[in-house]
Amino acid sequence: YHPYIGGAEGQARSVAAELARRGIPVRVATRGRPGLPAEDTVDGVPVHRLPAWGPGPVGALVFMASVFLDLILHRDTYDVIHAHLASSHAVAAAAAGRLAGKRVVVKLGGGAGMGELALSRASFLGRLKLHALGLLRPVLAAPNADILAELPGTPLAGLTAVLLPNGVDLHRFTPASAAERAALRKELGWAEGFALLSTSRLANDKGVADLLADFLRVWAESARGRSARLYIAGTGPDEEVLKALARRLGAPAVFLGPRQDLERLYRAADAFLLPSRTEGMSNSLLEAMASGLPV
């Protein structure tokens, strides 16, 4: 959860904030992270960061236990549990919901063939997780039809599953006039010329290396390419590798790092690029479209 940046994390924050805006009490239980307080408030929503000590599977088990105990102890304060992503915490949420007599919704993530279902079926612990969810029977929500089409043949096949596309805040993400765009670019320190924007986690599945190696090479050969710049917002495990690749290629790319002002970046850009190999329903894509950018 915020300030951690990611698609599912951003969607969870948006949903929580909108529910709270509508007067529906929301409480967020999330994984604790070094340097962040255990008790916090984000967008007027109380956030409780729970213990998740230890590496890999150990940390996942600790977090599962933390989530389960937290939901049982606070069972008189909520009616519905909404678990974002079908990870270990979703099993704990489904178990707590079954014990406490609460409704549970688990949102599946990822795109076809590379999402949560495919990754879970490829490992023993993942298959165990799917079997546990199948027995606990939460309602499933998927952002696209491809994920729903993967359910047959899995332990989740008999569960109630609904299509629930992602959404974005249309008050925050809006098109800019030419004058507003020019002023924003000056404020951001962007160079003159055509501004391309890409926002994503800098990891292999997001395809940023392909973007740098292929698209920019073609773009640089065009007449317009001489005044074009690519601005890349985000961070991730491949950040330094991608920066080195951009330097080696001589690509006109500027890495902006993690940003909390994405709406300003969209409004300053001329076009948006999404080179991902797979997506469930990209928040960045929806935000760029809401901001009036060709994608």
Side-chain angles (χ1 to χ4, degrees):
Y1 205 73
H2 181 80
Y4 184 88
I5 297 174
E9 292 79 7
Q11 195 63 214
R13 181 184 178 186
S14 296
V15 170
E18 178 63 16
L19 289 172
R21 189 187 70 80
R22 297 185 184 197
I24 299 171
V26 180
R27 176 179 176 275
V28 173
T30 187
R31 180 184 290 261
R33 292 188 174 275
L36 296 178
E39 304 291 327
D40 201 356
T41 300
V42 177
D43 306 320
V45 175
V47 176
H48 302 262
R49 298 190 175 94
L50 307 176
W53 308 303
V58 175
L61 287 172
V62 172
F63 185 48
M64 279 182 67
S66 301
V67 169
F68 179 81
L69 289 173
D70 181 79
L71 291 173
I72 291 298
L73 290 173
H74 293 90
R75 62 187 179 276
D76 294 332
T77 67
Y78 63 86
D79 299 298
V80 179
I81 304 170
H82 187 182
H84 285 256
L85 300 182
S87 299
S88 56
H89 65 283
V91 176
R98 174 61 68 91
L99 188 62
K102 306 292 184 176
R103 291 168 289 177
V104 181
V105 178
V106 175
K107 180 181 179 180
L108 303 173
M114 293 179 66
E116 288 191 298
L117 293 178
L119 293 175
S120 295
R121 295 174 75 179
S123 70
F124 171 74
L125 288 177
R127 291 190 294 273
L128 191 64
K129 174 188 70 180
L130 293 181
H131 279 287
L133 287 173
L135 292 171
L136 293 166
R137 306 189 65 79
V139 171
L140 304 178
N144 65 60
D146 290 337
I147 296 176
L148 294 180
E150 290 187 23
L151 290 174
T154 74
L156 307 182
L159 275 60
T160 300
V162 297
L163 181 64
L164 190 65
N166 289 342
V168 294
D169 183 349
L170 296 181
H171 298 288
R172 179 184 176 195
F173 298 102
T174 59
S177 66
E180 289 171 328
R181 184 178 296 110
L184 267 174
R185 287 190 188 182
K186 186 174 182 180
E187 187 179 318
L188 291 166
W190 287 13
E192 293 185 5
F194 200 78
L196 294 152
L197 177 66
S198 183
T199 64
S200 73
R201 183 171 48 86
L202 301 183
N204 181 59
D205 61 308
K206 295 299 182 181
V208 179
D210 295 335
L211 176 63
L212 291 169
D214 298 326
F215 183 86
L216 282 179
R217 185 184 300 118
V218 174
W219 189 267
E221 291 171 356
S222 71
R224 201 174 195 179
R226 286 193 291 271
S227 62
R229 290 289 184 278
L230 170 64
Y231 296 91
I232 300 173
T235 188
D238 292 351
E239 183 172 357
E240 295 306 317
V241 172
L242 291 169
K243 286 180 177 178
L245 176 61
R247 288 193 296 268
R248 189 165 71 250
L249 294 172
V254 180
F255 288 82
L256 302 174
R259 302 291 292 244
Q260 300 292 341
D261 60 343
L262 289 177
E263 64 275 14
R264 296 171 72 237
L265 304 185
Y266 291 121
R267 289 166 64 81
D270 291 301
F272 180 77
L273 298 170
L274 183 74
S276 298
R277 293 187 172 90
T278 181
E279 287 284 351
M281 178 172 281
S282 168
N283 292 312
S284 296
L285 175 71
L286 300 177
E287 291 163 1
M289 292 173 69
S291 302
L293 291 180
V295 176

